[in-house]
Amino acid sequence: LQFLYFIANNMRSLIVSALCAAASAGTYNVDKTGVDQVFNGLGGLSGGGATSRLLVDYQEPQRSQVLDYLFKPNFGANLQILKVEIGGDSQSTDGTETSHMHSKDDLDVTRGYEWWLMVEAKKRNPDIKLYGLPWAFPGWVGDDPQTGKPSGSPFTYPNQTSTYITEWVKGAKNHYGLDIDYIGIWNERSSSSAYAASLKKTLSDEGFGNVKIVAKDGGADICNDMAKDPSYNASIDIIGLHYPSDYSNYSVCHSLNKPLWASEESSSYDDYNGAACWARVVTSHYVLSGMTASIMWNLVGSYYHGTNWYASSMLTANQPWSGYVENLEVAYATAHITQFTKIGWRYLKNGSGSGKLANGGYYTTFVSEDSKDFTIVIVKISHEHAPCTRPGLPYEAVSSEISNIAIAANMDAPNELFFWRSNFEEEKKVTFEQQPNIALKNGVIENLSIAVGDVLTISTVSTAKKGSYPNTKSSPSFPLPHFDNFDEVTTSQEAPLCADQIGAFEVHQEAGTTNKVMKQMVPEIPIGWSDHGSNGPMTLIGMKEWQDVTVQIDIKLPVAAASGCVATRVNQMWSNAIAFCVGSEGRWNLTYQGPPQSGKFTQKPIATGTVDAPGVGKWFNLMITTINDTASIAYNNKTVQSNIKIRNCDSGFGAFGSNMWYAVEYDNLSIRQAGTNWSPKEVCPAAKIGTKVTSRPCVSNGLTTSDMKFFLSSDYQMVHIDSGLCLTADAAKEHAKLTLQTCVYNSTLQSFHGDYTTIRNRKVLITLKDTALNLVGSPDDAEVSTVRPADGWETWAYFPNTFQLRNTYDTNLYNLGYPRCLSAC
């Protein structure tokens, strides 16, 4: 019966596959007389922000191996451009990157890790281009230079901001021997003609006239501004757009006769679909829009789950304690172009080596500067797998084809060409594998099979390789206990595993001693990109899933108005937290959020009181323990209150911070397990074919049990990890129940679609393919339905560290109580 069941439900896909067998699509011509624009490269973006934070904490040899995957020629991604954030002391997506100038009298080019990353990239590939862009600015660049009054804009005093940026370029050259090739204006925010002119002049005056200015790292409206303002146009060398649609009109941009780039692109989860999106868009951008460079955000997913846009990366490396690296598919998709080209090669025009494929897809041809080498890249991705997270992609029918490629005599082609293939859609995926060489017959590649999902490279270049290293075992749970007195940390750097979210925390020597401490360094509100500080400065550490932990730290306040805080169950901006704060006068608060900079809590404190005043310039110790629905707090190792009743639905990181932009100091951080809920028991029988899928309370603390572990595949199947079986709807009808069944490729009853990038950072709908039926849950049950159950939910968030599909991400808005997980139990 099971066999007949699956035959019936997959007959439709079998028929469609038969009808879509590869058809002859004719001949594509490759002719050097159609030489066109200069290819400016493919790159990755570190920052926007703090996306490479945990990579620094990897140990050798794994850290160097990650860098090899990204930058080493003829190994992995072989990136041609490295774009980095110029730290601006403010939250810029996944954290804060520290500035080289916290104030106008302060300059330290040893801060942060972007310098180190650029050095490592250049060490591996001296030809890589370097590109700096600010997301935020320290507040002082917008302050009146005479009165100090803040304007909140980096463009009010353009010479001040130009000097600030030029100091970064100068630091790269003088301290690290790095030549910066490109500088941007302000990520996805306003631009200014006066500032662009000032920046160009200041760079030139300081000997950096070769640095090209990119504008505006945002929308195409910059082209209209430049077309109307000759001075503005003269200041800008390259037009950089973010997430540009190939279905928009860029005629004004092209009329300016400057290179047009996708200077930020993709933002998609780094699985096979992320690779398919990237391969498609870097090809279509030239064919449809005339863009000559694309840069992926982000370079490497080295940031915690629980901060924004988890693993929307070239690859993921966020386990410094284990050295584990995963999801190399996007890096190898990049290699299809970067290992076979160099910046300075030329595209061939549409119709002469580039264009649209007859049955859907794109192809481009690159020719070397000396005309001795050429590379053809062919990409055919179905609409189901082609979209990146943004922007939207209009539907286009795509089917397999068999085609000829006629290579003109002026290409000087050899008798055989090197051939590499990936396929990101077939049941058995292919990732950057060398194929037998392709023979030319009278200058023609005959009967080339191009399947849906294919990325093909045909080239005269012989040096490509698929590099790899043995991986370590994944260990996603943050190791506890954790202790750090910061004494081994390099001065001006963050402490290992700490991820600043508001403010910038650096290790410095305590005044008058040899002791090293962590110190909050931002002296005033920055000119922010996103939330630059609705709550006070904070750095976090650990796991989004933690509930039952003790966090303890020593704190020293510099001024009477300052407070010091320690917290558990913290979300990224500590708008949710269990936070214990003490002011210099001894007043303490226990709250469900971090301290607002206004000092006015939006929620009533859980508890409040007084302790002996810690005063100013003296060390004191704070400790908080949360276990299930209780919190206990201590001051100077003496209990203040214990077993305070709190809600039990929150989970989150450990954290410490303060209430305002003060130079609060911290030392002797300690985090350890609390309570007994750290050894979950397997209470469900082993899953098998026919096991009903329901929901039950989630296992907490970054741990899980086998019934809750599901993998979201790029084929849109939800695979139960321990059994290898797939979540299956009984039928495509209202209130159909869910069971585990043998996985069947392209089964519509196993195909659950949703935004598999953002599902790791928020709740999303998950919908059965070709229906309006959503995956819905209620206590002890799950089904597909168009209606959310009265006592249930219709949106889900995926927690990749524990492989749990939860009904909450942050504290839920529907009073659903303790988080529940999809369960094969």
Side-chain angles (χ1 to χ4, degrees):
L1 288 175
Q2 290 289 344
F3 174 78
L4 292 175
Y5 170 88
F6 280 105
I7 287 294
N9 279 284
N10 287 281
M11 187 60 70
R12 175 178 176 272
S13 62
L14 292 172
I15 293 171
V16 169
S17 297
L19 292 174
C20 293
S24 177
T27 299
Y28 303 109
N29 296 311
V30 177
D31 187 333
K32 199 158 47 183
T33 59
V35 71
D36 196 25
Q37 298 183 71
V38 173
F39 171 60
N40 298 125
L42 298 185
L45 200 173
S46 173
T51 52
S52 303
R53 171 64 195 89
L54 297 177
L55 178 59
V56 187
D57 297 330
Y58 267 64
Q59 301 300 304
E60 296 295 347
Q62 286 79 22
R63 185 170 71 174
S64 287
Q65 291 170 0
V66 173
L67 295 167
D68 285 350
Y69 280 125
L70 295 169
F71 303 119
K72 185 177 178 180
N74 301 314
F75 190 84
N78 196 157
L79 291 173
Q80 296 159 324
I81 304 170
L82 172 59
K83 182 177 179 180
V84 302
E85 177 175 354
I86 300 174
D89 286 344
S90 185
Q91 168 62 233
S92 54
T93 300
D94 288 287
T96 296
E97 296 208 21
T98 190
S99 173
H100 58 290
M101 296 180 71
H102 296 307
S103 63
K104 65 181 179 181
D105 300 320
D106 165 63
L107 176 63
D108 184 350
V109 297
T110 68
R111 294 177 182 135
Y113 40 84
E114 302 295 4
W115 314 101
W116 163 80
L117 188 62
M118 289 189 286
V119 168
E120 293 295 327
K122 277 285 188 181
K123 187 187 300 182
R124 287 162 174 79
N125 179 7
D127 294 330
I128 197 168
K129 301 293 186 181
L130 301 177
Y131 180 169
L133 173 68
W135 264 249
F137 299 85
W140 69 267
V141 304
D143 294 350
D144 187 308
Q146 303 302 320
T147 67
K149 183 179 179 180
S151 71
S153 170
F155 305 137
T156 304
Y157 307 101
N159 294 342
Q160 199 159 257
T161 306
S162 298
T163 299
Y164 165 76
I165 294 296
T166 302
E167 287 293 343
W168 186 86
V169 175
K170 191 186 299 183
K173 179 65 174 178
N174 295 344
H175 194 86
Y176 298 97
L178 297 169
D179 292 311
I180 302 301
D181 298 284
Y182 314 111
I183 283 290
I185 301 293
W186 188 9
N187 183 74
E188 295 175 354
R189 295 297 180 261
S190 61
S191 184
S192 161
S193 176
Y195 170 66
S198 173
L199 178 60
K200 197 169 193 71
K201 182 179 184 303
T202 305
L203 287 168
S204 180
D205 290 347
E206 293 291 334
F208 300 106
N210 59 318
V211 177
K212 297 184 183 300
I213 297 178
V214 184
K216 66 173 182 173
D217 277 291
D221 56 307
I222 185 67
C223 298
N224 294 323
D225 295 341
M226 290 165 59
K228 297 173 184 175
D229 185 341
S231 174
Y232 202 172
N233 188 44
S235 300
I236 304 304
D237 300 289
I238 296 163
I239 300 165
L241 307 183
H242 284 196
Y243 309 97
S245 169
D246 284 324
Y247 300 89
S248 296
N249 185 335
Y250 300 112
S251 58
V252 176
C253 297
H254 285 299
S255 73
L256 301 173
N257 295 316
K258 299 177 188 292
L260 181 62
W261 292 6
S263 57
E264 184 174 321
E265 188 53 86
S266 179
S267 291
S268 298
Y269 180 65
D270 54 8
D271 64 357
Y272 288 108
N273 285 338
C277 135
W278 178 239
R280 187 266 307 170
V281 78
V282 298
T283 310
S284 68
H285 272 341
Y286 171 72
V287 173
L288 299 180
S289 302
M291 297 182 191
T292 58
S294 294
I295 300 173
M296 169 173 278
W297 187 86
N298 57 72
L299 175 76
V300 55
S302 286
Y303 46 102
Y304 289 116
H305 172 250
T307 60
N308 287 313
W309 293 94
Y310 176 81
S312 300
S313 317
M314 193 73 66
L315 57 87
T316 298
N318 61 1
Q319 294 181 26
W321 47 87
S322 73
Y324 184 68
V325 181
E326 63 180 336
N327 294 3
L328 295 169
E329 293 86 357
V330 183
Y332 289 131
T334 310
H336 271 282
I337 292 178
T338 55
Q339 289 201 26
F340 301 90
T341 63
K342 290 185 177 180
I343 289 176
W345 285 32
R346 304 294 287 261
Y347 285 99
L348 294 186
K349 292 179 180 178
N350 288 351
S352 295
S354 304
K356 296 185 69 173
L357 297 173
N359 292 356
Y362 307 91
Y363 65 104
T364 52
T365 301
F366 307 82
V367 179
S368 65
E369 291 181 88
D370 61 9
S371 293
K372 292 181 179 180
D373 286 300
F374 66 87
T375 294
I376 305 167
V377 178
I378 302 169
V379 180
K380 183 182 284 289
I381 307 296
S382 71
H383 183 75
E384 191 169 47
H385 297 271
C388 300
T389 302
R390 47 187 170 169
L393 185 67
Y395 177 79
E396 180 178 8
V398 177
S399 60
S400 298
E401 62 183 79
I402 297 174
S403 301
N404 298 329
I405 300 178
I407 300 177
N410 61 23
M411 299 296 294
D412 297 322
N415 293 328
E416 288 189 341
L417 295 170
F418 297 98
F419 183 30
W420 290 72
R421 178 177 185 255
S422 294
N423 190 289
F424 300 132
E425 297 191 44
E426 292 174 345
E427 183 174 10
K428 292 184 178 179
K429 308 291 187 286
V430 179
T431 307
F432 196 56
E433 298 291 345
Q434 187 168 12
Q435 310 296 305
N437 290 353
I438 290 181
L440 274 66
K441 295 181 180 179
N442 298 317
V444 178
I445 299 172
E446 294 183 342
N447 299 319
L448 178 66
S449 176
I450 310 172
V452 175
D454 267 350
V455 180
L456 310 178
T457 299
I458 301 168
S459 181
T460 60
V461 176
S462 63
T463 52
K465 291 182 177 64
K466 184 179 180 179
S468 65
Y469 291 109
N471 208 353
T472 60
K473 184 179 179 181
S474 175
S475 179
S477 291
F478 187 102
L480 290 177
H482 176 82
F483 175 79
D484 199 340
N485 62 11
F486 313 131
D487 288 345
E488 302 303 316
V489 182
T490 302
T491 299
S492 298
Q493 296 299 308
E494 291 177 71
L497 307 180
C498 288
D500 303 348
Q501 300 302 313
I502 307 172
F505 295 72
E506 300 169 8
V507 171
H508 290 277
Q509 191 168 304
E510 182 185 6
T513 76
T514 59
N515 182 43
K516 285 185 176 180
V517 298
M518 192 86 149
K519 188 175 183 180
Q520 199 292 117
M521 299 297 293
V522 180
E524 64 177 298
I525 191 167
I527 300 171
W529 181 73
S530 57
D531 185 334
H532 45 94
S534 55
N535 292 332
M538 177 270 288
T539 188
L540 58 75
I541 184 171
M543 297 187 75
K544 173 75 172 168
E545 295 90 339
W546 276 353
Q547 283 198 307
D548 304 331
V549 293
T550 294
V551 183
Q552 187 172 10
I553 198 164
D554 295 335
I555 301 176
K556 184 167 69 172
L557 304 178
V559 295
S563 296
C565 305
V566 65
T568 68
R569 304 185 185 181
V570 176
N571 70 355
Q572 184 178 359
M573 301 300 292
W574 65 347
S575 55
N576 279 345
I578 309 296
F580 174 41
C581 299
V582 176
S584 64
E585 80 292 353
R587 168 64 58 183
W588 64 264
N589 287 292
L590 183 69
T591 58
Y592 282 123
Q593 65 180 97
Q597 289 187 16
S598 66
K600 297 178 181 178
F601 286 95
T602 59
Q603 303 163 331
K604 182 180 178 181
I606 302 166
T608 188
T610 57
V611 293
D612 292 340
V616 172
K618 297 179 181 179
W619 288 103
F620 62 97
N621 182 273
L622 294 185
M623 182 175 73
I624 182 169
T625 299
T626 51
I627 302 173
N628 192 15
D629 61 353
T630 64
S632 299
I633 53 177
Y635 173 74
N636 285 337
N637 297 304
K638 293 182 179 179
T639 299
V640 176
Q641 282 193 31
S642 59
N643 297 319
I644 304 166
K645 262 313 202 191
I646 58 173
R647 63 194 185 202
N648 73 343
C649 54
D650 298 281
S651 66
F653 299 93
F656 54 93
S658 61
N659 61 328
M660 278 295 287
W661 306 106
Y662 301 127
V664 178
E665 294 175 284
Y666 305 87
D667 205 358
N668 300 316
L669 171 67
S670 172
I671 309 173
R672 51 194 183 271
Q673 297 176 3
T676 59
N677 197 20
W678 284 87
S679 300
K681 295 180 179 179
E682 296 284 352
V683 297
C684 302
K688 59 185 179 180
I689 292 175
T691 293
K692 185 179 179 182
V693 176
T694 60
S695 77
R696 74 182 187 94
C698 298
V699 174
S700 62
N701 292 326
L703 307 170
T704 193
T705 50
S706 61
D707 61 298
M708 296 182 183
K709 292 167 66 177
F710 286 86
F711 170 70
L712 307 185
S713 84
S714 61
D715 297 319
Y716 301 103
Q717 291 175 309
M718 295 189 175
V719 184
H720 181 250
I721 291 176
D722 283 32
S723 68
L725 301 172
C726 281
L727 182 70
T728 308
D730 289 347
K733 66 179 184 180
E734 195 77 36
H735 303 303
K737 298 303 180 182
L738 302 164
T739 58
L740 295 182
Q741 302 292 343
T742 301
C743 296
V744 178
Y745 177 66
N746 276 344
S747 167
T748 55
L749 295 180
Q750 294 181 349
S751 187
F752 292 88
H753 284 242
D755 187 337
Y756 279 11
T757 294
T758 61
I759 195 173
R760 291 161 171 82
N761 288 104
R762 62 182 179 91
K763 297 191 297 177
V764 304
L765 291 170
I766 299 173
T767 306
L768 191 65
K769 183 178 180 180
D770 297 333
T771 74
L773 299 167
N774 295 320
L775 176 64
V776 300
S778 59
D780 303 317
D781 201 5
E783 62 183 22
V784 292
S785 176
T786 58
V787 180
R788 178 169 64 87
D791 60 345
W793 58 92
E794 62 182 354
T795 53
W796 304 79
Y798 186 65
F799 282 59
N801 290 325
T802 52
F803 308 102
Q804 294 171 327
L805 202 63
R806 293 187 170 203
N807 69 344
T808 62
Y809 179 70
D810 281 338
T811 300
N812 67 75
L813 303 178
Y814 297 106
N815 297 315
L816 296 176
Y818 188 87
R820 299 188 72 85
C821 284
L822 198 70
S823 168
C825 188

